[in-house]
Amino acid sequence: MSTRKLAELPGPDVAARFGPDTIIVQPTGAVEHHGPHLPLVTDFLLADHIGGAAVERAADEGLDVWQLPTLAFTKSDEHSWAPGTVWLDADTMFDTVVQIGRAVALMGAGTLVFANGHGGNTALLQVALREIRRRTGLKTFLMPTLARVPGPDGEDADERGLGIHGGAAETSMILHLRPDLVDLARADRWVPDHIADFERIAFNGGPVSFGWLSNDFGTPGVVGDASRASAEYGKLLWDVSLDQAVASLHEIARFDPAVPR
């Protein structure tokens, strides 16, 4: 049987095949508002496609790695104001992933990796890594599915460090994966320039973070410049993101926090 999808295995095969070197990948996406030009399923597609392709390639390269079904409904309450968003509260999401960790440990696997396609899950999953580790002994990891890649017109040419949701990168990636779901005629530049010049308060990497909802910025729930998107940029993002995910799985496979004897 060539499948790397865990849920397609017969139950007895799990017990027979899995051991301490087995890596289980749990993709985490979302079903949430992505503006007028992208589908609600955007983050699910990123997690499912990149996570699944990374598992397949890593398995072909010799890793004992398997994929759980992608989580569609996750912590998306920053978009709860927008019709179509389906979200779990923090407690429910946290309990869900911890219980998944318990199940993975009972399968006999040694490692659980969350391949995350939705930024709103990141902080919660980071806390869950330690909780699952403490409760089960599993090695636990979190990796992104979408890489940060300079666009064809240069690094962050028009998004000013604010291209975090529905902007050039996500729109380009969905143009590559599912162009039938993208309406570029409805894409625009939705960058909240009025917050871009703060030196310490930032979305990514700044020393001061802040709580936000996606309708805080005077945009239609998008933060970024979707008008810069292209299928060519999407293909570049796909190639780099997949390479990054596979390389991460190889490093995860040989990682041991203990001091070598």
Side-chain angles (χ1 to χ4, degrees):
M1 183 180 294
S2 61
T3 183
R4 304 309 296 188
K5 296 182 183 298
L6 191 155
E8 294 180 359
L9 290 173
D13 287 15
V14 172
R17 291 182 179 217
F18 290 6
D21 293 333
T22 302
I23 300 169
I24 306 299
V25 174
Q26 173 63 78
T28 50
V31 175
E32 65 179 25
H33 177 76
H34 269 79
H37 62 300
L38 286 177
L40 297 164
V41 76
T42 290
D43 289 349
F44 178 91
L45 292 172
L46 297 178
D48 190 59
H49 283 253
I50 299 170
V55 166
E56 293 287 346
R57 184 190 293 180
D60 288 343
E61 294 174 359
L63 294 188
D64 181 17
V65 58
W66 302 82
Q67 177 192 353
L68 282 168
T70 302
L71 291 183
F73 306 135
T74 59
K75 190 180 180 297
S76 297
D77 52 329
E78 67 269 36
H79 311 291
S80 60
W81 60 273
T85 301
V86 182
W87 77 98
L88 306 179
D89 63 31
D91 289 341
T92 303
M93 176 66 178
F94 187 79
D95 288 344
T96 297
V97 296
V98 169
Q99 296 309 315
I100 289 171
R102 179 187 66 179
V104 168
L106 290 172
M107 294 174 193
T111 299
L112 174 60
V113 180
F114 294 100
N116 184 43
H118 167 51
N121 292 330
T122 302
L124 183 147
L125 289 173
Q126 287 171 336
V127 176
L129 294 184
R130 180 171 291 143
E131 186 74 9
I132 296 167
R133 173 84 176 139
R134 180 180 64 81
R135 292 193 191 186
T136 69
L138 285 170
K139 295 178 184 178
T140 52
F141 299 87
L142 169 63
M143 67 182 192
T145 50
L146 182 60
R148 297 177 65 86
V149 181
D153 50 359
E155 177 71 44
D156 196 33
D158 201 37
E159 294 187 293
R160 305 191 65 191
L162 301 174
I164 66 158
H165 184 69
E170 287 189 328
T171 305
S172 295
M173 184 65 96
I174 304 305
L175 277 171
H176 172 65
L177 293 175
R178 288 290 306 274
D180 56 306
L181 298 180
V182 182
D183 186 355
L184 281 181
R186 303 175 74 182
D188 205 343
R189 182 180 186 275
W190 295 296
V191 176
D193 289 295
H194 60 287
I195 67 172
D197 293 325
F198 282 85
E199 294 181 359
R200 306 192 65 78
I201 303 172
F203 286 112
N204 297 312
V208 180
S209 56
F210 64 104
W212 56 273
L213 304 175
S214 61
N215 60 341
D216 281 343
F217 307 107
T219 69
V222 179
V223 187
D225 186 359
S227 69
R228 294 176 56 230
S230 69
E232 293 76 18
Y233 182 32
K235 177 61 165 58
L236 174 63
L237 283 164
W238 168 263
D239 291 340
V240 176
S241 297
L242 182 54
D243 288 346
Q244 173 181 279
V246 174
S248 296
L249 288 173
H250 278 282
E251 195 159 292
I252 285 167
R254 66 177 189 269
F255 179 82
D256 187 344
V259 176
R261 295 183 179 181

